[in-house]
Amino acid sequence: MTTSEPVTDTFFADVMLPVPVPRLFTYRVPQHLQDQVRELHRVIVPFGPRKIMTGLVLTLHHKPPLVEAKYILEVADEYPSFQAQQVKLIRWMAAYYLCAEGEVLNAAMPAGLKLSSESLVQLNPAFDLEQSDAFFNEKELSLLARLRHDTLTYTDVSKFLGVNNILSIIRSLTSKGAILLLEEIRDKYQPKTERRVRLTKAYNGKDQLEALFEQLAKRPAQEAVVLRYLQEVPVFQHPQLNEGGLPRKAFLAGGLSESSLSTL
């Protein structure tokens, strides 16, 4: 009679990530997490060469993807964060607005649930270590001391502690009210700017301009720049127009010397 080692099934999870890509991502479930990974639970997964993100498990199965699947790093939830009806709403909204399901998930998921490489870990201003009754281990105390001076990203915390998977530490400190998790807001709006030229107050009068032209009598290139400005901006008839000035590119488009403009 012979005995053999029990065969362990390999599980894969289809995960919805909060990214503008119209598909799910398949990850391999490590054996030590097979009892924890469940549908509608959040998981921490690698994304791209160096990033990590929080995703939502939609299905579990045994079918491997065509390319090698990366492993799920950690399970973020003890209980489901979403309900099936919410996922149905996300998918309906994505179809209605013609966008990726991940974009809707990104808008629907509260910032505190979207842990990623760029998530910010901050010391809770209302937290007082000396007044707390909670127990803090050595790594937690070390991190709290570091956070007194700086706000760190998830990646920074991982490097500082020398630990790849830090979710348990983050979760522990959050539950004790010691830290806050924030999403970094990057303002993608870039206002359009234009460089403009105008006369300074020292030359914003007839007598001052006459004196300026006398100085520029032997500098025809600079004189041409001033004349071009006065042709376009009649400051004598309408002094208020000098406030708006003239776009710098208007001089350069006219073939005038850029160095003369800069000198003036």
Side-chain angles (χ1 to χ4, degrees), residues 199 203 209 213 224-237 246 251:
L199 290 173
Y203 296 101
L209 279 174
F213 279 115
V225 172
V226 179
L227 286 172
R228 175 59 186 276
Y229 182 80
L230 294 176
Q231 289 172 358
E232 297 290 336
V233 185
V235 294
F236 296 131
Q237 292 84 5
L246 192 66
F251 295 93

Side-chain angles (χ1 to χ4, degrees), residues 59-249:
T59 56
L60 290 167
H61 55 82
H62 297 288
K63 183 179 180 181
L66 297 178
V67 296
E68 184 177 359
K70 296 180 180 181
Y71 281 93
I72 290 174
L73 300 177
E74 296 184 73
V75 180
D77 295 319
E78 184 178 355
Y79 302 100
S81 292
F82 284 75
Q83 298 179 0
Q85 197 69 14
Q86 289 173 300
V87 174
K88 184 178 179 181
L89 176 61
I90 288 173
R91 288 182 153 166
W92 177 87
M93 291 180 69
Y96 185 84
Y97 290 105
L98 302 178
C99 63
E101 294 174 355
E103 292 179 277
V104 182
L105 177 65
N106 186 46
M109 189 182 292
L113 300 184
K114 288 187 292 187
L115 188 62
S116 70
S117 305
E118 288 77 33
S119 293
L120 300 179
V121 182
Q122 174 185 301
L123 189 68
N124 187 347
F127 174 74
D128 187 339
L129 180 60
E130 295 181 357
Q131 298 296 325
S132 177
D133 295 329
F135 170 77
F136 296 89
N137 61 37
E138 184 178 347
K139 287 188 179 297
E140 291 175 341
L141 291 173
S142 177
L143 178 57
L144 290 177
R146 180 72 173 82
L147 291 174
R148 290 194 186 99
H149 306 286
D150 292 299
T151 296
L152 304 178
T153 65
Y154 181 99
T155 303
D156 292 335
V157 173
S158 179
K159 291 179 180 178
F160 175 72
L161 295 178
V163 179
N164 290 329
N165 301 330
I166 61 168
L167 181 62
S168 59
I169 298 174
I170 297 294
R171 185 189 295 150
S172 174
L173 290 175
T174 302
S175 66
K176 296 170 186 175
I179 63 172
L180 300 175
L181 291 181
L182 308 171
E183 274 297 301
E184 183 175 16
I185 303 299
R186 293 191 176 96
D187 190 355
K188 297 182 180 180
Y189 171 70
Q190 298 264 341
K192 184 178 180 180
T193 59
E194 180 181 57
R195 298 189 67 186
R196 300 180 74 88
V197 177
R198 67 182 178 185
L199 290 173
T200 63
K201 292 182 179 181
Y203 296 101
N204 197 10
K206 186 176 181 180
D207 293 340
Q208 294 90 335
L209 279 174
E210 287 178 354
L212 176 62
F213 279 115
E214 289 180 5
Q215 296 176 31
L216 301 179
K218 295 182 180 180
R219 299 184 180 92
Q222 295 181 24
E223 185 181 47
V225 172
V226 179
L227 286 172
R228 175 59 186 276
Y229 182 80
L230 294 176
Q231 289 172 358
E232 297 290 336
V233 185
V235 294
F236 296 131
Q237 292 84 5
H238 305 286
Q240 71 277 8
L241 295 179
N242 187 54
E243 289 300 316
L246 192 66
R248 182 182 176 90
K249 61 184 179 183

